[in-house]
């Protein structure tokens, strides 16, 4: 199948976003949005670096690639609207397999009424999936890492370390459907984050590279100290039972759970709890924010001892160099 035939095969039969003027059928897409701010993000996944055909079906690859982008939009408090897909396709991938990659994307996109509005396809040695997403947020309501202040409550959604444990289950033939699902088809917290639009101030960061990384990013951007209690950080019972010697590291540095870590004033904390209840999203307090004499730091309290929690987990360029 040539490029043009392939584009025809993935072209949406209808569009869902009323702001879309021109979708897949021209040199570029056109949309108009006069009343809200536009948020955009891009994420790239490379075969044998970010995913493997041994651990994922093509459907999961597409789903997870879009989930990574949607988690970024969630961390900004944005409602997803559109996505662009660029593929580098090697010769050993069939048309049917590529169709499954797109089906994985469409499954997740349909939950948010997102439209595919274009992209590009070229040949290469490894499958590379690059997705650019666009979302809307009320004017001046985008959420930034720099919004944390002393006295804030630090919170986290869901359970952490599941995705890393799920990968280990797949690699070692351990049948735990929940953990495997958390690795292959994570669900970004878009709906929960959208319910926080009435808050006067909240800092958010998505847990893509591990909470140790994400907490430090908030601390550095806001120039504050985050004091986290390990015993309060949420994790599933499965990972401690199946991997007793490794789960503590995965909770902090496993990454790719696509949950949220955030900070909010104590006064507005009840709004977080209510939003989580309405969206059926687990959320717990995991620490506090304090003033910093430095440019930001994170401290971890674990088994009665305090230590500095440095950035750790997945760092893309370093992983590729090693």
């Amino acid at each position: 199948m040539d490029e043009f035939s392939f584009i025809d095969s993935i072209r949406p039969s209808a569009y869902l976003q009323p702001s879309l003027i021109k979708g897949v059928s021209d040199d570029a897409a056109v949309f108009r949005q006069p009343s809200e701010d536009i948020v955009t993000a891009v994420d790239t996944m490379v075969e044998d670096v970010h995913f493997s055909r041994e651990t994922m079906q093509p459907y999961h690859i597409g789903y997870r690639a879009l989930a990574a982008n949607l988690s970024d939009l969630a961390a900004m408090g944005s409602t997803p609207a559109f996505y662009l897909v660029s593929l580098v396709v090697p010769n050993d991938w069939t048309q049917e397999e590529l169709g499954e990659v797109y089906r994985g994307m469409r499954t997740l996109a349909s939950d948010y009424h997102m439209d595919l509005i274009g992209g590009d396809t070229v040949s290469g040695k490894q499958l590379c999936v690059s997705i650019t997403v666009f979302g809307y947020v009320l004017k001046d309501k985008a959420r930034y890492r720099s919004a944390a202040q002393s006295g804030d409550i630090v919170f986290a959604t869901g359970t952490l370390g599941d995705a890393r444990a799920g990968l280990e289950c797949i690699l070692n033939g351990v049948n735990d459907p929940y953990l495997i699902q958390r690795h292959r088809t994570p669900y970004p917290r878009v709906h929960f984050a959208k319910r926080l639009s009435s808050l006067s101030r909240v800092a958010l960061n998505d847990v893509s590279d591990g909470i140790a990384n994400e907490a430090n990013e908030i601390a550095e951007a806001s120039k504050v100290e985050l004091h986290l209690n390990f015993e309060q950080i949420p994790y599933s019972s499965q990972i401690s039972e199946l991997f007793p010697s490794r789960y503590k590291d995965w909770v902090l540095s496993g990454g790719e759970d696509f949950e949220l870590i955030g900070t909010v004033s104590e006064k507005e904390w009840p709004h977080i709890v209510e939003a989580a209840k309405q969206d059926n999203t687990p959320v717990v307090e995991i620490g506090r924010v304090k003033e910093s004499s430095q440019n930001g730091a994170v401290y971890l309290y674990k088994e009665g001892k305090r230590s500095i929690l440095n950035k750790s987990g997945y760092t893309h360029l370093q992983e590729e160099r090693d």
Side-chain angles (χ1 to χ4, degrees):
M1 178 179 285
D2 60 38
E3 178 185 1
F4 302 105
S5 298
F6 180 70
I7 291 172
D8 284 337
S9 74
I10 62 169
R11 188 195 310 272
S13 58
Y15 294 105
L16 302 172
Q17 289 290 326
S19 57
L20 184 65
I21 298 171
K22 174 65 70 172
V24 182
S25 63
D26 221 303
D27 288 326
V30 179
F31 63 93
R32 181 179 298 144
Q33 182 53 266
S35 60
E36 295 175 288
D37 291 336
I38 296 171
V39 180
T40 185
V42 62
D43 214 313
T44 302
M45 291 176 59
V46 180
E47 187 175 3
D48 297 326
V49 176
H50 305 99
F51 65 86
S52 168
R53 296 175 80 175
E54 296 178 4
T55 60
M56 286 193 173
Q57 298 296 321
Y59 172 90
H60 302 134
I61 295 168
Y63 185 108
R64 195 154 158 267
L66 184 57
N69 283 271
L70 294 187
S71 191
D72 287 330
L73 291 185
M76 302 299 292
S78 174
T79 300
F82 307 111
Y83 65 111
L84 299 162
V85 181
S86 291
L87 293 183
V88 178
V89 182
N91 292 331
D92 59 343
W93 277 75
T94 67
Q95 174 189 338
E96 289 75 17
E97 288 173 323
L98 293 177
E100 281 295 289
V101 173
Y102 276 90
R103 188 172 73 86
M105 297 179 203
R106 287 196 303 271
T107 297
L108 187 57
S110 66
D111 289 343
Y112 307 101
H113 302 288
M114 294 184 77
D115 286 323
L116 173 65
I117 59 172
D120 195 17
T121 307
V122 298
S123 299
K125 295 182 179 180
Q126 292 173 293
L127 183 70
C128 177
V129 183
S130 184
I131 302 178
T132 302
V133 291
F134 300 88
Y136 301 135
V137 65
L138 295 175
K139 286 186 177 181
D140 300 320
K141 279 292 187 176
R143 303 307 187 177
Y144 304 124
R145 300 169 183 168
S146 57
Q149 294 181 11
S150 179
D152 280 0
I153 289 174
V154 185
F155 64 89
T157 66
T159 49
L160 304 177
D162 291 343
R164 180 63 183 85
L167 174 61
E168 200 71 14
C169 288
I170 297 168
L171 293 173
N172 291 281
V174 178
N175 184 24
D176 191 297
Y178 171 77
L179 293 177
I180 291 173
Q181 174 267 326
R182 289 279 284 160
H183 176 72
R184 286 176 168 167
T185 55
Y187 202 75
R189 299 298 185 179
V190 172
H191 295 306
F192 165 73
K194 186 178 178 180
R195 292 183 183 275
L196 308 184
S197 61
S198 64
L199 298 182
S200 61
R201 178 181 55 80
V202 60
L204 293 175
N205 204 2
D206 84 301
V207 183
S208 55
D209 299 322
I211 198 172
N213 272 341
E214 325 305 355
N216 272 283
E217 288 178 344
I218 291 176
E220 291 168 2
S222 299
K223 295 180 172 55
V224 294
E225 292 178 1
L226 268 61
H227 292 251
L228 308 182
N229 296 304
F230 182 83
E231 285 75 17
Q232 293 177 258
I233 297 176
Y235 58 87
S236 60
S237 59
Q238 291 99 313
I239 66 170
S240 59
E241 294 168 1
L242 291 172
F243 308 103
S245 65
R246 290 180 283 179
Y247 81 93
K248 292 181 180 179
D249 287 337
W250 293 347
V251 167
L252 297 172
S253 306
E256 297 189 325
D257 291 307
F258 303 124
E259 295 291 348
L260 293 174
I261 177 176
T263 78
V264 69
S265 68
E266 189 167 7
K267 178 182 178 181
E268 293 194 304
W269 168 243
H271 295 280
I272 298 285
V273 175
E274 181 60 26
K277 181 180 179 180
Q278 292 176 1
D279 194 58
N280 197 28
T281 295
V283 65
V284 294
E285 176 182 341
I286 63 171
R288 292 278 178 157
V289 179
K290 297 184 180 181
E291 292 184 2
S292 176
S293 59
Q294 311 172 46
N295 288 325
V298 179
Y299 293 93
L300 182 69
Y301 296 80
K302 184 179 177 184
E303 298 173 351
K305 298 179 181 179
R306 189 183 90 161
S307 61
I308 295 177
L309 182 61
N310 293 313
K311 289 184 177 181
S312 60
Y314 189 87
T315 52
H316 302 269
L317 294 180
Q318 185 62 44
E319 288 287 337
E320 293 185 34
R321 292 191 188 109
D322 290 345

